Amino acid sequence: MFDDLKPHLVELRKRLAISVIAIVVLFFVMFSFWQPILDWMIMPLKAVLPEGSHVIFTKVQEPFFTALKVSFFTGFVAALPIIFWQLWLFIAPGLYENEKKMILPFAIGATIMFLIGGSFCYYVVIPFGFDFLINFGSQLFTALPSIGEYVSFFTKLILGFGLAFEMPVITFVLAMMGLVTDRTLKDFFRYALVVIFLVSALLTPPDVLTQFLMAGPMILLYGLSIMIAKSVNPEEKETEEDDA
């Protein structure tokens, strides 16, 4: 059994190594521009900070480690086309020849969907969420957010939304491999709703509006995934055959 798995493990190690190398190389590239990238990241926070509040750091090493976080995060995002490319090459041996040709659309589509999810988070969800969090209790306290904690929270949100928007792409791959159908997704819908709202509650700030701003698009994406599965791998209609 191990001998059967060994070629797959070797291939997986190869794909992971290429992906890691791409992230490391782009990490060093992004480290040269971490300050303007960080300025872009904190723009939504500065927009809602009350007068007299500032972004601060509380530990000596915090600015340096924040620069590393920013560089690693943006390096990872920049490497996404390569990562998705390597993912497709790993699963390609189990596909038909005509399906293997979908590598470029998959890599581009998956990257675009991640960027759409991240952009929706940055321009829609984060302004609402941070406005609620910063101004809640501002009459009693002075907001002095730590840059390290903010960047960690920011990247968590962006990654969460980016990965959530991969749902149609993942469905496309699973349907093409014959693992899911539109009927499978329809039958799972009630459970998917529970999972969607749980994920939204974990990844978004603790207010109902931002949770719905994540759950709403995910429900729509689930509906889109059903249509994708129906076009790629529709549920076979057996009733007519049985009657015949």
Side-chain angles (χ1 to χ4, degrees), residues 34-45 55-57 62-74 121-122 126 130 145-160:
W34 72 269
Q35 288 184 327
I37 295 172
L38 182 59
D39 287 338
W40 174 80
M41 285 184 174
I42 63 178
M43 282 175 59
L45 178 62
V55 182
I56 64 170
F57 66 91
E62 192 170 356
F64 175 72
F65 282 108
T66 298
L68 294 181
K69 289 179 186 177
V70 170
S71 304
F72 178 79
F73 172 71
T74 51
C121 178
Y122 181 84
I126 286 178
F130 286 178
S146 165
I147 186 60
E149 294 180 359
Y150 169 80
V151 168
S152 297
F153 189 51
F154 176 93
T155 54
K156 174 186 172 183
L157 282 176
I158 296 292
L159 285 173

Side-chain angles (χ1 to χ4, degrees), residues 113-156:
M113 289 304 296
F114 185 95
L115 294 177
I116 291 175
S119 298
F120 178 79
C121 178
Y122 181 84
Y123 291 105
V124 179
V125 178
I126 286 178
F128 282 104
F130 286 178
D131 183 53
F132 169 80
L133 293 175
I134 293 296
N135 291 294
F136 183 83
S138 60
Q139 298 85 357
L140 301 175
F141 311 105
T142 301
L144 295 172
S146 165
I147 186 60
E149 294 180 359
Y150 169 80
V151 168
S152 297
F153 189 51
F154 176 93
T155 54
K156 174 186 172 183

Side-chain angles (χ1 to χ4, degrees), residues 10-229:
V10 172
E11 182 69 13
L12 178 61
R13 184 174 62 183
K14 176 182 177 182
R15 301 305 167 194
L16 287 175
I18 294 174
S19 299
V20 170
I21 291 172
I23 294 174
V24 171
V25 171
L26 289 167
F27 162 81
F28 285 106
V29 173
M30 295 302 173
F31 190 76
S32 302
F33 309 99
W34 72 269
Q35 288 184 327
I37 295 172
L38 182 59
D39 287 338
W40 174 80
M41 285 184 174
I42 63 178
M43 282 175 59
L45 178 62
K46 287 184 176 180
V48 298
L49 279 178
E51 186 176 353
S53 296
H54 306 282
V55 182
I56 64 170
F57 66 91
T58 58
K59 300 177 183 178
V60 175
Q61 72 275 17
E62 192 170 356
F64 175 72
F65 282 108
T66 298
L68 294 181
K69 289 179 186 177
V70 170
S71 304
F72 178 79
F73 172 71
T74 51
F76 169 79
V77 173
L80 281 177
I82 299 173
I83 295 172
F84 289 131
W85 189 286
Q86 296 306 309
L87 175 61
W88 186 267
L89 290 176
F90 176 70
I91 64 176
L95 303 176
Y96 295 108
E97 288 300 322
N98 62 318
E99 295 172 342
K100 293 178 181 179
K101 298 177 181 179
M102 297 296 295
I103 180 171
L104 188 59
F106 170 78
I108 295 175
T111 302
I112 290 175
M113 289 304 296
F114 185 95
L115 294 177
I116 291 175
S119 298
F120 178 79
C121 178
Y122 181 84
Y123 291 105
V124 179
V125 178
I126 286 178
F128 282 104
F130 286 178
D131 183 53
F132 169 80
L133 293 175
I134 293 296
N135 291 294
F136 183 83
S138 60
Q139 298 85 357
L140 301 175
F141 311 105
T142 301
L144 295 172
S146 165
I147 186 60
E149 294 180 359
Y150 169 80
V151 168
S152 297
F153 189 51
F154 176 93
T155 54
K156 174 186 172 183
L157 282 176
I158 296 292
L159 285 173
F161 273 83
L163 293 175
F165 273 63
E166 296 294 341
M167 192 186 305
V169 180
I170 295 172
T171 301
F172 173 78
V173 174
L174 294 178
M176 194 166 55
M177 296 175 68
L179 298 178
V180 298
T181 64
D182 57 312
R183 173 54 57 188
T184 304
L185 296 177
K186 290 176 183 177
D187 292 342
F188 189 72
F189 180 68
R190 66 181 69 181
Y191 305 105
L193 282 178
V194 176
V195 174
I196 287 171
F197 278 99
L198 283 176
V199 171
S200 300
L202 290 173
L203 293 181
T204 58
D207 66 288
V208 176
L209 178 60
T210 51
Q211 290 175 12
F212 272 95
L213 284 174
M214 184 174 195
M218 288 183 68
I219 293 172
L220 294 176
L221 289 170
Y222 193 89
L224 177 61
S225 298
I226 292 175
M227 291 188 288
I228 290 174

